[in-house]
Amino acid sequence: MRSILSLLCILHALPAVADMAIVTRNVRPGEILLDKDVIVIRGNAGDGFSEKELVVGKEAQVALFAGRAILKEQVAPAPSVERNQIVELVYTTGVLSMTTEGRALGRGAEGQRIRVMNLASKTSIFGTIQRDGTVLVTK
């Protein structure tokens, strides 16, 4: 009985082995991770990714070094709107919908709020980036 208990204690102390995504080359901050930049190997994933598909297409927030695991806090969704890009501003209330052009004053990905300048009035407003790249303005 004692040997089974000791074995369980030893197994509990060993780190869990699972798939982990690592980069194949050094990646600079701001670069988008491509399919060829990521491979999955057996190892201790920890706070990293276990699937390649969860990492490809994301933007590196910090320098990533070849052969090291990619941690969740090191990558973010790739921006769909860049600073100074002309975007369509959409304001909808009830059945009324208005659109105009604006200039993005920041960069961001779908679902993020950014500041945008309305080109017609030159006023600065905030809006949320939509999947199609438009910016939804709310009250």
Side-chain angles (χ1 to χ4, degrees), residues 2-134:
R2 182 172 167 90
S3 62
I4 294 174
L5 193 56
S6 324
L7 182 61
L8 287 175
C9 289
I10 292 170
L11 289 176
H12 183 68
L14 293 175
V17 176
D19 291 342
M20 68 178 185
I22 64 169
V23 288
T24 59
R25 66 176 181 89
N26 291 340
V27 177
R28 294 186 310 243
E31 282 189 70
I32 305 299
L33 292 169
L34 304 175
D35 189 58
K36 66 180 180 180
D37 297 331
V38 181
I39 60 171
V40 175
I41 63 169
R42 296 292 284 169
N44 184 3
D47 194 28
F49 294 92
S50 60
E51 296 177 37
K52 185 177 188 176
E53 294 76 25
L54 298 174
V55 181
V56 173
K58 295 202 180 231
E59 178 184 42
Q61 299 295 297
V62 297
L64 302 174
F65 299 101
R68 293 195 183 165
I70 305 167
L71 304 179
K72 293 178 180 171
E73 65 268 6
Q74 294 176 324
V75 295
S80 54
V81 172
E82 293 291 336
R83 180 175 163 74
N84 288 324
Q85 179 180 336
I86 303 298
V87 294
E88 182 178 347
L89 300 176
V90 178
Y91 176 76
T92 304
T93 179
V95 295
L96 177 64
S97 180
M98 297 183 291
T99 62
T100 188
E101 285 189 331
R103 180 177 305 278
L105 300 177
R107 65 194 298 260
E110 177 187 348
Q112 291 182 320
R113 287 182 48 87
I114 61 169
R115 204 170 64 139
V116 182
M117 180 178 63
N118 181 330
L119 292 178
S121 66
K122 305 293 187 218
T123 58
S124 176
I125 54 178
F126 284 91
T128 305
I129 301 171
Q130 303 301 297
R131 179 174 299 218
D132 61 358
T134 61

